[in-house]
Amino acid sequence: MDKLITHVSAADVTDEFKDTALTWPLWESRTHPQTPAKSGKFHFDYNGDYETERVLIMSGKATLSPEDGSSPIAITKGDQVFFHKGFACNWHVTEPMTKHYAYYDEDGVEVEPNPSIACDICEAECYEESYLTKEEEDICPDCYKADKKQYVGAEHQKFGEPLKPAKAKKREAPETNGATKKAKGKKESSDEEDEDED
């Protein structure tokens, strides 16, 4: 599967690539869903709307086991890795990892990735609507509804942004311009006058 992954050891990475990579977003392995939780293990298919994900490993170590059975690939701090469309592997992060990453099209032009949020329970895509727990887990609406008690206090989000809670509507008093109050006052005073006359 060498043609679907390009790995350059840290000693051979160019300064130009490093300088460019430092402008890209930073990914942290500890925030990526893992099976089992906190094991450093997860499966990943590189099949997004891009031809290549380019990466500069900033810290940590991992072993990538290609799905096709090819030899495992060890990556570590300073390495450059290109994950080409169609590559699939099992990750095993052995030391917490950070990496800068960017997506490129078939002409080598950097492209914006489509936003994505995956449920940390069932891995369903839930970018359009999700719940962010206090533990910073993303939960899809179905998993949230299945166990609302477990996710009490989770922040409801749409497109990765918190929804503003709907303000409770205040009960509005009927508009009377004080006529009702004045009428009540007149009635009470006329009742008192009636009592005085008796």
Side-chain angles (χ1 to χ4, degrees):
M1 191 170 270
D2 288 335
K3 65 182 179 193
L4 292 179
I5 185 168
T6 306
H7 175 234
V8 178
S9 297
D12 298 323
V13 176
T14 67
D15 288 339
E16 181 182 358
F17 181 81
K18 290 177 193 174
D19 291 344
T20 301
L22 292 174
T23 67
W24 299 338
L26 187 68
W27 174 88
E28 297 183 45
S29 62
R30 66 178 184 79
T31 64
H32 191 87
Q34 301 169 24
T35 306
K38 299 182 181 181
S39 66
K41 296 179 180 181
F42 57 91
H43 179 80
F44 203 86
D45 291 310
Y46 293 86
N47 58 5
D49 295 334
Y50 55 86
E51 284 300 311
T52 305
E53 178 184 342
R54 298 181 183 185
V55 166
L56 177 64
I57 308 299
M58 298 306 295
S59 64
K61 293 181 181 178
T63 301
L64 311 178
S65 299
E67 198 172 66
D68 72 352
S70 329
S71 298
I73 301 156
I75 58 176
T76 190
K77 180 180 178 177
D79 288 358
Q80 168 187 316
V81 186
F82 287 11
F83 298 102
H84 305 287
K85 189 172 195 149
F87 182 67
C89 68
N90 289 306
W91 279 72
H92 184 194
V93 178
T94 55
E95 288 181 17
M97 179 172 282
T98 58
K99 64 177 183 169
H100 284 289
Y101 67 95
Y103 302 102
Y104 284 78
D105 66 15
E106 60 277 351
D107 297 323
V109 176
E110 188 174 350
V111 296
E112 288 294 318
N114 287 335
S116 178
I117 295 176
C119 176
D120 289 328
I121 303 301
C122 70
E123 298 184 6
E125 173 57 40
C126 57
Y127 176 68
E128 289 183 14
E129 181 178 15
S130 63
Y131 293 85
L132 181 65
T133 68
K134 293 174 187 170
E135 292 78 25
E136 297 200 4
E137 291 180 308
D138 291 304
I139 308 298
C140 71
D142 290 339
C143 290
Y144 176 80
K145 288 174 189 166
D147 196 355
K148 285 183 180 180
K149 287 181 182 177
Q150 181 175 339
Y151 306 119
V152 169
E155 177 182 78
H156 191 193
Q157 298 186 340
K158 291 217 177 201
F159 302 102
E161 296 294 327
L163 287 178
K164 293 187 174 145
K167 291 183 180 178
K169 290 186 176 182
K170 291 183 180 179
R171 257 187 9 195
E172 292 188 25
E175 287 190 33
T176 62
N177 294 332
T180 306
K181 194 173 188 179
K182 288 176 188 172
K184 265 188 178 178
K186 285 182 182 178
K187 186 176 182 202
E188 287 174 8
S189 62
S190 70
D191 287 346
E192 288 173 11
E193 288 173 12
D194 291 343
E195 288 174 13
D196 291 342
E197 290 175 8
D198 291 335

